[in-house]
Amino acid sequence: MKTFTDFKGRHVTLKNSYVENTKHVLIIPKFNGQFLLTNHRERGLEFPGGKVENGEALVEGAQRELYEETGGLVGDMHFVGTYTVHDGEETFSKAAFCCNIERLDQLKHYHETNGPMLVDHIDDIPEEDKSLLLKDDCIVYLYNEVRENGCQ
């Protein structure tokens, strides 16, 4: 288990196993050798993700969120770890996945976002365009793991 502090000063743990009652997902996708981000209307550029709907498996939620926010279709989704934010009684977990996108559809509406953006490296993104999530040490750690080791 690894530990971090997030942008709000909260304690964060990263486990390489699933955590019970996880209701959020984060996806680190690649398409044609580049990382696929979404441009959230309020927060800025970030990796796609969100809440899993009732009755939906984590992988299904990740695939749905990825498609809604970027138009990305994926064959295999690979579990990377569970990112848990410890904030008193408000503790919550995100299952983190990586994947290679098979096809990128252009959608009429991208839920809560302005659609996809491809980058070679998140360091290429101007700081003012990054969501706070792209500045989060644990998410940057996960990104670097996927960048260095691939998605397996």
Side-chain angles (χ1 to χ4, degrees):
M1 178 172 64
K2 299 203 176 298
T3 61
F4 304 88
T5 302
D6 76 0
F7 54 91
K8 290 185 176 179
R10 300 174 295 193
H11 178 68
V12 174
T13 56
L14 176 63
K15 295 182 179 181
N16 62 357
S17 59
Y18 286 100
V19 172
E20 193 174 340
N21 297 320
T22 298
K23 305 220 184 299
H24 296 84
V25 292
L26 171 75
I27 308 99
I28 302 173
K30 287 189 86 173
F31 181 66
N32 291 337
Q34 293 182 295
F35 286 92
L36 177 63
L37 303 173
T38 188
N39 187 1
H40 192 278
R41 290 185 186 131
E42 295 174 9
R43 293 189 298 256
L45 293 169
E46 61 189 23
F47 289 112
K51 293 180 184 174
V52 176
E53 295 177 355
N54 287 337
E56 195 173 49
L58 291 170
V59 169
E60 293 169 335
Q63 290 171 326
R64 178 187 49 75
E65 286 287 348
L66 178 63
Y67 190 77
E68 288 176 356
E69 295 181 1
T70 68
L73 285 171
V74 61
D76 293 329
M77 189 77 65
H78 301 277
F79 177 75
V80 179
T82 302
Y83 167 107
T84 301
V85 177
H86 304 272
D87 189 16
E89 294 181 25
E90 295 295 318
T91 297
F92 67 92
S93 297
K94 293 181 185 184
F97 295 92
C98 66
C99 64
N100 290 305
I101 301 298
E102 292 180 356
R103 187 177 84 218
L104 195 58
D105 291 347
Q106 186 171 354
L107 305 179
K108 290 183 181 180
H109 303 286
Y110 296 93
H111 294 248
E112 301 175 347
T113 78
N114 294 319
M117 180 174 184
L118 293 165
V119 298
D120 291 322
H121 196 292
I122 61 171
D123 289 344
D124 297 337
I125 303 167
E127 287 298 309
E128 63 271 13
D129 294 342
K130 289 181 183 179
S131 160
L132 287 175
L133 297 175
L134 271 191
K135 299 175 186 179
D136 183 285
D137 289 343
C138 185
I139 293 174
V140 172
Y141 174 85
L142 288 166
Y143 157 77
N144 281 320
E145 286 290 305
V146 171
R147 186 174 61 84
E148 293 169 11
N149 300 317
C151 186
Q152 0 190 354

